């Protein structure tokens, strides 16, 4: 017993389950309920699952299929088409029998693994994601592809993602700037009741912790252009820590290029973007460029944290 504000409804763990879920529908009306932010999901869904066992030990058999799928993200420009998904219930787990997709440039993505249906064990999972020249950016900020081999395993309470990501090419564009962002004002209405706080219970667990151990390799062909800059970069990064507080270490170094500044071309002498493992992961910039004019060499130097670098000009 208890007051309406504190009482909870629970089901006995030994309560038997016996049900069936079937559906044949387009994904669009179902996904619309999720109120996604500038993402679209399309495809044909076929669902035929049977649920048995008990509340504590549910058993799922049957299959979930998605055909002719398409996922698009307007912000990054990612488009996955020819999406095919087949999930098979094998009693105490859902197995990814097939999960494949491609992008408009014939990059490929595959996913395999399984998810355990065990509430007491916080739904353990093992998933492996592989991509080949998959386009992950195609917008006003540029275009980039990645080849990745990642493995995620754990539970809804704690997990780890490890593996390697290679960036064979990226063309990044620096925005010209000039846009003014609207200002958001906090408004308080005199006499209004305080905002309602989200309900919590004593059994609610904390946020899931996802540990990271990922190597990112960018050997070359990382082009950065815009605002007078035309350069190629390369390097490698190690990403550890957690998804909430990643620790990034490594250096991205200048390969070749130039900077047009004040109607003069500056050749870049040195250029480094260094991540030192800080939190948040703000890199340090060290860039020096020079232009020869007669017997005088003009030098531009940019150094310091990326959020507030110092700009200096000198001459020799």
């Amino acid at each position: 017993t208890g007051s309406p504000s504190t009482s909870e409804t629970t089901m006995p763990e030994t309560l038997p389950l016996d049900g069936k879920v079937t559906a044949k529908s387009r994904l669009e009306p179902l996904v619309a309920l999720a109120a996604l932010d500038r993402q679209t999901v399309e495809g044909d869904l076929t669902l035929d699952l049977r649920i048995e066992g008990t509340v504590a030990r549910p058993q799922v058999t049957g299959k979930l299929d998605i055909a002719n799928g398409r996922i698009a993200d307007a912000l990054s420009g990612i488009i996955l088409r020819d999406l095919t998904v087949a999930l098979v219930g094998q009693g105490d787990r859902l197995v990814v029998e097939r999960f494949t997709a491609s992008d408009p440039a014939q990059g490929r993505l595959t996913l395999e693994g399984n998810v355990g249906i065990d509430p007491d064990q916080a739904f353990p999972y093992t998933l492996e994601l592989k991509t080949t020249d998959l386009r992950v950016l195609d917008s006003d900020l540029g275009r980039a592809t990645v080849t990745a081999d990642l493995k995620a395993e754990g539970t809804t309470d704690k997990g780890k993602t490890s593996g390697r990501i290679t960036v064979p090419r990226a063309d990044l564009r620096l925005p010209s700037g000039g846009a003014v962002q609207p200002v958001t004002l906090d408004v308080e209405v005199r006499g209004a009741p305080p905002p309602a706080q989200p309900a919590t219970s004593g059994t609610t667990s904390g946020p899931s912790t996802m540990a990271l151990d990922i190597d990112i390799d960018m050997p070359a062909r990382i082009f950065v252009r815009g605002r007078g800059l035309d350069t190629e970069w390369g390097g490698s990064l190690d990403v550890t820590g957690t998804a909430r507080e990643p620790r990034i270490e490594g250096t991205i170094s200048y390969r070749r290029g130039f900077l047009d500044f004040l109607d003069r071309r500056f050749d870049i002498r040195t250029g480094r973007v260094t991540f030192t493992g800080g939190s948040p992961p703000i890199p340090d910039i060290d860039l020096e460029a020079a232009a020869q004019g007669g017997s005088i060499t003009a030098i531009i130097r940019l150094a310091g944290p990326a959020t507030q670098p110092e700009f200096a000009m000198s001459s020799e």
Side-chain angles (χ1 to χ4, degrees), residues 271-288:
R272 286 183 296 273
V273 179
T274 305
F275 290 83
T276 59
S279 181
I282 299 173
D284 289 326
I285 295 176
D286 183 6
L287 178 70
E288 183 176 286

Side-chain angles (χ1 to χ4, degrees), residues 55-176:
V55 171
R57 294 288 185 272
Q59 299 286 307
V60 177
T61 56
K63 198 170 184 180
L64 179 152
D65 287 303
I66 296 176
N68 305 314
R70 183 179 184 274
I71 300 175
D73 179 72
L75 198 60
S76 65
I78 294 176
I79 297 177
L80 296 178
R81 62 186 187 183
D82 302 325
L83 175 66
T84 303
V85 179
L87 302 181
V88 179
Q90 295 185 356
D92 62 347
R93 66 189 59 249
L94 282 174
V95 177
V96 182
E97 190 176 77
R98 182 177 176 83
F99 193 122
T100 62
S102 62
D103 64 22
Q106 302 306 312
R108 298 288 297 170
L109 174 149
T110 61
L111 177 71
E112 59 183 31
N114 62 82
V115 179
I117 308 172
D118 191 340
D120 290 340
Q121 298 296 322
F123 303 98
Y125 61 85
T126 298
L127 299 171
E128 293 188 34
L129 173 70
K130 295 183 179 182
T131 70
T132 303
D133 293 334
L134 185 72
R135 188 171 296 176
V136 296
L137 177 66
D138 192 357
S139 69
D140 293 340
L141 296 178
R143 180 176 291 175
T145 59
V146 300
T147 295
D149 188 351
L150 299 174
K151 182 176 182 180
E153 53 187 346
T155 66
T156 54
D157 295 331
K158 186 178 181 180
K160 180 179 181 179
T161 298
S162 58
R164 187 177 188 85
I165 297 175
T166 301
V167 185
R169 183 184 178 100
D171 291 274
L172 308 178
R173 292 187 290 270
L174 300 179
S176 58

Side-chain angles (χ1 to χ4, degrees), residues 10-279:
T10 60
M11 293 187 294
E13 292 187 351
T14 57
L15 183 70
L17 301 175
D18 187 6
K20 190 173 184 180
V21 181
T22 61
K24 193 167 186 178
S25 167
R26 291 288 295 174
L27 281 173
E28 293 90 308
L30 302 177
V31 175
L33 301 176
L36 300 179
D37 182 19
R38 301 182 67 183
Q39 292 90 32
T40 59
V41 181
E42 304 170 355
D44 298 313
L45 170 68
T46 302
L47 182 63
D48 187 5
L49 293 176
R50 185 166 189 84
I51 305 174
E52 298 175 305
T54 65
V55 171
R57 294 288 185 272
Q59 299 286 307
V60 177
T61 56
K63 198 170 184 180
L64 179 152
D65 287 303
I66 296 176
N68 305 314
R70 183 179 184 274
I71 300 175
D73 179 72
L75 198 60
S76 65
I78 294 176
I79 297 177
L80 296 178
R81 62 186 187 183
D82 302 325
L83 175 66
T84 303
V85 179
L87 302 181
V88 179
Q90 295 185 356
D92 62 347
R93 66 189 59 249
L94 282 174
V95 177
V96 182
E97 190 176 77
R98 182 177 176 83
F99 193 122
T100 62
S102 62
D103 64 22
Q106 302 306 312
R108 298 288 297 170
L109 174 149
T110 61
L111 177 71
E112 59 183 31
N114 62 82
V115 179
I117 308 172
D118 191 340
D120 290 340
Q121 298 296 322
F123 303 98
Y125 61 85
T126 298
L127 299 171
E128 293 188 34
L129 173 70
K130 295 183 179 182
T131 70
T132 303
D133 293 334
L134 185 72
R135 188 171 296 176
V136 296
L137 177 66
D138 192 357
S139 69
D140 293 340
L141 296 178
R143 180 176 291 175
T145 59
V146 300
T147 295
D149 188 351
L150 299 174
K151 182 176 182 180
E153 53 187 346
T155 66
T156 54
D157 295 331
K158 186 178 181 180
K160 180 179 181 179
T161 298
S162 58
R164 187 177 188 85
I165 297 175
T166 301
V167 185
R169 183 184 178 100
D171 291 274
L172 308 178
R173 292 187 290 270
L174 300 179
S176 58
V180 178
Q181 299 295 328
V183 178
T184 301
L185 300 178
D186 295 326
V187 178
E188 295 182 4
V189 180
R190 186 181 299 276
Q197 298 297 321
T200 59
S201 65
T203 59
T204 301
S205 61
S208 174
T209 300
M210 177 61 71
L212 302 175
D213 185 7
I214 301 173
D215 296 328
I216 302 177
D217 186 25
M218 301 169 283
R221 303 178 70 190
I222 307 299
F223 299 98
V224 181
R225 300 182 176 97
R227 292 194 174 186
L229 194 66
D230 191 334
T231 54
E232 179 185 357
W233 299 72
S236 61
L237 301 173
D238 293 327
V239 183
T240 56
T242 66
R244 290 179 176 271
E245 294 185 359
R247 297 179 60 85
I248 304 176
E249 296 181 285
T251 301
I252 303 171
S253 300
Y254 156 81
R255 297 285 190 261
R256 60 187 178 87
F258 59 86
L259 170 67
D260 282 335
F261 183 70
L262 297 178
D263 295 326
R264 187 174 294 274
R265 174 166 295 189
F266 286 75
D267 295 319
I268 298 176
R269 290 177 168 178
T270 60
R272 286 183 296 273
V273 179
T274 305
F275 290 83
T276 59
S279 181

